[in-house]
Amino acid sequence: MGSAQVRQTSKGKLPRWLTSEHPLPWLFPVTSILVVFGLYPVLYSLWLSFYKRNPATRTEKFLPSWNWNKLIGDERVWDAVTVTFTYAAIALTIQLVLGMLIALLLDSDRRGFGLFRALMTLPLVVPPAVTGMMFLLMYDSSFGVISNALYSLNLLSPDHPILGSGSTALWGVIVADVWQWTPFMVLIMLAGLRALPKEPFEAASIDGATAFQSFFFLTLPMMSKIIALAVLVRGIDLFRIFDYVKVMTDSGPGTATETLTAYAGTVYFKSANFSYASTVALATLILVLVVSTVFIKVFKIRF
Amino acid sequence: MASVKISKLEKQYGAVKVLHSLNLEFADGKFVVLLGPSGCGKSTLLRMIAGLESISSGDVYFDDVRVNDIHSKDRNVAMVFQNYALYAHMSVRKNMAFSMRLKKVDKKIQDEKVAWASSILGLDDYLDRLPKELSGGQRQRVAMGRAIVRDPDVFLFDEPLSNLDAKLRVQMRTEIKDLHQRLKTTTVYVTHDQIEAMTMADEVIIMRDGRIEQSGSPMEIYDRPDNLFVAQFIGSPGMNIIECQVAEDSGVLYAVLDTLCLPLPVNSNVSPGQKIYYGIRPEHLIAAKAPMSFGSSSERLKTESGVVRVVEPTGPEIHVYAKLAGQDVCSISRERIMWAPGDEIFLQPDLQHVHLFDGETQIAL
Ligand SMILES: Nc1ncnc2c1ncn2[C@@H]1O[C@H](COP(=O)(O)OP(=O)(O)OP(=O)(O)O)[C@@H](O)[C@H]1O
Ligand SMILES: [Mg+2]
């Protein structure tokens, strides 16, 4: 009755479909965006991956298994998979631990902590490419602060450019990622910590639990869903890492920092082999889907 | 086991003072019940003894050791929280065993203790459930179990039976009392239930607005309330209170309100013209269908007649609510007199049990 009345009063003012209770008109905008910008590119990539492209003659030939076979035999792909997994695992672990520690420090009602919590988010507003540039400068072997600090502390020999050596380049990129994205972890962890009920901790204290015991027996289990969610969100993001690598090392030296997306970009822009680039990108997508689905199943995350 | 001493204890939340300079001493092994209206500061006091609430000023001592700066984990108290405060992600078994797990108690002893507690509390069938899969009363019993598996210096119970049904409550009351008699652990017990307070306590402390109104044995408090508040707070149905004035007639003193004229006990510490509260417990207000002979020569010493309003037979006794000179009064008798609303009722106070309070200070005279 209520809705009938509403419809009557708005009669003549709004078009019929705007007052409709049928789901279709309401689903239409987001569906169309998803179709145009999500589904279409994926399907188009899939279609591309079934063609063998000849960059020289700029012609395509329908050969469904060609690119996929090439992918499996491509050592650079497997290198990229290793780099991607290494990068994601290390960066994720550091961000997770740092994020939790900083969040624990900032989880206080005392005066001034709100300001710290706000300041903490600043790195998040810097565009990743700018962050990359910033760290590029700081790593510079002649005037970079970080390089010079490491050189003067004798932690690194001055003839060792951080981003220019295969052994440290990936770490250099990871540090930039950690600087930028740890605040994101802090935010998620803080939201979780601040929402925890106080009473169980009081009960634990009465039961004789030390701060450490409270953390491991109460905080961690109570935060497990949130931590899992943070790992999922950040993990997927880390898997798609492109900007820092592109700006800071451009996959170098050699292919020491070449991740899957970076390799796909190289194939696309440098070799102009669109169909093979699509195949690599699709493979990345499949890998992310598989890993995150397994993760969701194992940790029983519900949305 | 430890005695607990509280000296000049105060609690302030911002500008609001919720505890005013409390002085208390709980002897070792005593069962002390805190009783008071909602919001009077019982939980706050308990939480300060436990070390969960900061102390604004004053001291708390366990066995003459000042514990103000001792962390709650080191005070060795066991507490049942008013809101249970269970560990939501742990099963009932793990909730109860948590303190022992922290102390790395032998697994077999842990299991024995949990089994013992769960059989007392009737939780045997629920040991592997999570708190969210339990009813309110079951959760409360888990909270209880978590406390009794411990061997603390002091037990702190914050309304531990409030959510149980009447039968279970009586049963638990007995269990707690039995436990206390065996362990002789100093216990501070908060409750709203007067029967609980009366039946369990060695000592009852009545609080109001962050102050202690009276403390003493249950019977002392019931028989000799220090002031009007305690008199009204203890007892159910509550004490009849009639606000009246002392008058004199040929050398004898009476309490007078309009047409009502009530006899005063001999040697009452009152003077003519004084405003007083005249208090008489329902069981000491004797009711009859006909005027009772008073055995006195004075004309004014007569039973007062009123009109019956409500009759509540409870089984062992009958509660009669009546209007007496515009005042609501209640009388309890064990005699099987059949009353009906509208009946005329004759009431007579048992002079041995009259309580008089000053009209201004409300303190017992
Ligand atoms: N964190 C707080 N900030 C401000 N006031 C508080 C706070 N906690 C409690 N109070 C106030 O302190 C007073 C005492 O609270 P307390 O919880 O001790 O009451 P209580 O006697 O246990 O009541 P109940 O019987 O309802 O449990 C109340 O008036 C309450 O409003
Ligand atoms: Mg309370």
Side-chain angles (χ1 to χ4, degrees), chain B residues 245-256 271-273 300:
Chain B
Q245 199 160 12
V246 179
E248 188 183 355
D249 183 52
S250 53
V252 187
L253 294 176
Y254 304 93
V256 179
S271 49
R300 299 198 62 167

Side-chain angles (χ1 to χ4, degrees), chain B residues 13 18 37-44 82 159 192:
Chain B
Y13 286 115
V18 295
S38 188
C40 71
K42 306 179 296 289
S43 297
T44 307
Q82 189 168 9
E159 303 186 29
H192 277 286

Side-chain angles (χ1 to χ4, degrees), chain A residues 198-211 213-214 217-219 221-222, chain B residues 47 50 52 71-73 77 79 81 83 85-87 89-90 98-99 101-102 146 150:
Chain A
K198 245 176 53 199
E199 293 82 12
F201 292 91
E202 295 183 342
S205 163
I206 294 280
D207 272 345
T210 62
Q213 289 172 322
S214 281
F217 289 128
L218 298 188
T219 312
M222 287 163 95
Chain B
R47 290 168 54 84
L52 296 173
H71 193 271
S72 57
K73 74 176 187 325
V77 299
M79 181 162 175
F81 290 74
N83 50 17
L86 299 180
Y87 309 123
H89 59 286
M90 295 184 202
F98 189 63
S99 58
R101 184 169 156 209
L102 293 176
R146 203 169 51 181
R150 299 209 18 217

